[in-house]
Amino acid sequence: GENVEQHPSTLSVQEGDSAVIKCTYSDSASNYFPWYKQELGKRPQLIIDIRSNVGEKKDQRIAVTLNKTAKHFSLHITETQPEDSAVYFCAAGGGYNKLIFGAGTRLAVHP
Amino acid sequence: NAGVTQTPKFQVLKTGQSMTLQCAQDMNHNSMYWYRQDPGMGLRLIYYSASEGTTDKGEVPNGYNVSRLNKREFSLRLESAAPSQTSVYFCASSEWGSGGRELFFGEGSRLTVL
């Protein structure tokens, strides 16, 4: 089955810096790679996703890149703000295959 | 629309007691899921229901049972709770299958087993 590894587990940056979170997956059949953000005490919410026919996708300060050959994908947050502080989860899945989540990255953005 | 609603939000059980977590969605989604969240372990799928009338095991199904009561409701039952089941439980739904659709999560249920 699918296995998703996520690094780093914690990340601390200064406001305005960029943050990068990386994930690797094992199942070459996976073709859908979402990222979820979970603020403290809240539910996870989708912030961006990418499908295997696309190499990069951007939404304002957030971008995701996918390398299917190497089976890894990354989340890039530019110009970080304190409200970006949260736990971020990557996931991998495909078709009707269930999503498998990474262990999460706790991002702290310091003013 | 309320989205995904799960009850109770908090529960304390003694080892061996049973309980049912309830989940309902009003988005007319076909698929529903139960996840557990433990520190450092991310979100792990317990059971899911791809459509009304079907249920399947996820990554960590042992010690749990589920019922897809109708299209709206999906319950999770702990028959004999164990301390290892102390966790935050999230119900989620998606339009059809989680492989390519956004998951909408409930607010979570924090369960402590003593």
Side-chain angles (χ1 to χ4, degrees), chain A residues 31-32 36 38 41-46 51 89 93-104, chain B residues 4 35 37 40-43 45 48 57-59 90 96-103 105-107:
Chain A
N31 58 15
Y32 176 63
Y36 284 79
Q38 185 180 30
K42 301 290 182 62
R43 70 190 85 190
Q45 291 187 296
L46 179 72
R51 299 180 192 274
F89 294 99
Y96 293 103
N97 294 339
K98 46 191 179 289
L99 273 179
I100 300 299
F101 283 83
Chain B
V4 179
Y35 286 89
Q37 183 175 28
M41 310 247 346
L43 293 154
L45 183 63
Y48 67 104
K57 295 178 181 179
E59 303 168 82
F90 285 97
W96 187 266
S98 66
R101 300 284 189 272
E102 179 177 359
L103 290 178
F105 287 88
E107 291 184 313

Side-chain angles (χ1 to χ4, degrees), chain A residues 14 20 39 54 90 98:
Chain A
Q14 291 296 124
V20 180
E39 296 176 355
V54 175
C90 63
K98 46 191 179 289

Side-chain angles (χ1 to χ4, degrees), chain B residues 48-60:
Chain B
Y48 67 104
S49 171
S51 62
E52 185 179 357
T54 69
T55 60
D56 285 291
K57 295 178 181 179
E59 303 168 82
V60 288

Side-chain angles (χ1 to χ4, degrees), chain A residues 1-2 6 10 12 22-24 32-33 36 42 45 49 51 58 60 64 74 83 88-89 95 97 99 103-104:
Chain A
E2 178 64 275
Q6 182 172 346
T10 61
S12 182
K22 298 181 179 181
C23 289
T24 61
Y32 176 63
F33 308 93
Y36 284 79
K42 301 290 182 62
Q45 291 187 296
D49 57 14
R51 299 180 192 274
K58 287 184 179 179
Q60 299 182 347
V64 58
S74 301
E83 51 265 40
Y88 292 82
F89 294 99
N97 294 339
L99 273 179

Side-chain angles (χ1 to χ4, degrees), chain A residues 5-61:
Chain A
E5 294 191 356
Q6 182 172 346
H7 300 280
S9 56
T10 61
L11 181 59
S12 182
V13 300
Q14 291 296 124
E15 182 177 359
D17 287 350
S18 295
V20 180
I21 303 170
K22 298 181 179 181
C23 289
T24 61
Y25 62 100
S26 61
D27 189 348
S28 57
S30 290
N31 58 15
Y32 176 63
F33 308 93
W35 287 86
Y36 284 79
K37 175 183 180 182
Q38 185 180 30
E39 296 176 355
L40 188 63
K42 301 290 182 62
R43 70 190 85 190
Q45 291 187 296
L46 179 72
I47 55 171
I48 195 167
D49 57 14
I50 191 168
R51 299 180 192 274
S52 60
N53 58 344
V54 175
E56 183 176 2
K57 184 176 179 180
K58 287 184 179 179
D59 182 3
Q60 299 182 347
R61 297 186 296 108

